Amino acid sequence: MLRAERGELVSLLRELSEGEWETASLCAGWRVRDVVAHLQTDTVSLVTYLGFTVRGRSVDGINGLLVREFGARPTEELVDRLDGPGGWFSRVAPTLALADMFVHQQDIRRPLGRPREVPAERLAAVLSHPDPFAFPRRYTRGLRFVATDLEWSRGDGPEIRGPGEALALVMVGRPAALADLEGDGVPVLRERLG
């Protein structure tokens, strides 16, 4: 699933114009280019990444270093680096790598108006294992999430219903997907997403 997700992202990136690379993504303060720079985590050696962790000292700090290191590189180089089976991150934490790749692909696709069909099995995997570094519990606690386009639900409390893609995005803090959701839990979630 991760290989397919990566392949779809690489295909999309190869189609983008230079202007699209500069478009604001759903990640606050990051352009499409910056999101792709962040995804270079899986293209650097583990030793290099550990160097980033020492210098960055936090998830946000590491991400900032990745964006500074790779953000100005030519787009073709960034895509070529992603075009492969993946590196240490994909091997050590494939479920986490899939969630990260999925959300960041949507961070790029939504602002560019480039929707896609995601296989139900892949979407269910992402919904069942959201990126823990996005701290999903702060958004999901005490709420019930129900996908309307695949058989998947989780949690207890006021309900939030909608497409799995939108659920996956709000579970990791993307308010842009709120408009696609309905249910008694939406006002609570909207407040949490602030």
Side-chain angles (χ1 to χ4, degrees):
M1 286 189 282
L2 176 55
R3 192 171 299 121
E5 187 71 15
R6 181 189 303 271
E8 287 178 24
L9 177 59
V10 166
S11 293
L12 169 69
L13 296 175
R14 292 206 188 280
E15 299 173 3
L16 299 185
S17 68
E18 284 303 316
E20 288 174 311
W21 277 88
E22 302 305 319
T23 301
S25 75
L26 296 186
C27 293
W30 280 6
R31 304 162 296 169
V32 167
R33 170 183 296 282
D34 300 321
V35 174
V36 178
H38 158 72
L39 289 171
Q40 299 300 313
T41 298
D42 207 23
T43 71
V44 299
S45 72
L46 180 56
V47 171
T48 300
Y49 185 77
L50 291 174
F52 283 136
T53 65
V54 169
R55 291 177 20 229
R57 297 191 182 145
S58 70
V59 172
D60 289 340
I62 295 164
N63 288 338
L65 288 170
L66 283 162
V67 169
R68 284 193 296 281
E69 173 74 23
F70 293 101
R73 295 196 185 183
T75 57
E76 187 175 328
E77 177 187 339
L78 293 175
V79 178
D80 286 347
R81 290 175 65 91
L82 282 179
D83 191 5
W88 66 270
F89 182 52
S90 292
R91 287 190 303 276
V92 171
T95 303
L96 173 55
L98 174 62
D100 192 52
M101 185 74 62
F102 172 86
V103 168
H104 288 312
Q105 181 160 187
Q106 296 313 112
D107 287 338
I108 293 168
R109 284 181 176 275
R110 275 185 168 241
L112 294 178
R114 305 264 192 134
R116 67 179 172 139
E117 289 291 324
V118 180
E121 179 184 20
R122 192 182 320 161
L123 194 49
V126 171
L127 286 164
S128 296
H129 303 284
D131 181 349
F133 293 106
F135 307 105
R137 182 94 176 106
R138 66 180 162 181
Y139 306 115
T140 62
R141 73 183 182 285
L143 296 171
R144 178 166 177 74
F145 291 81
V146 179
T148 56
D149 55 349
L150 72 150
E151 198 163 318
W152 183 90
S153 62
R154 172 143 313 151
D156 293 306
E159 193 171 276
I160 298 167
R161 295 177 307 281
E165 181 263 357
L167 294 175
L169 291 177
V170 297
M171 289 168 68
V172 293
R174 304 302 195 272
L178 279 169
D180 299 334
L181 303 174
E182 58 184 27
D184 295 341
V186 171
V188 175
L189 183 58
R190 181 176 285 112
E191 185 177 323
R192 290 178 184 175
L193 291 168

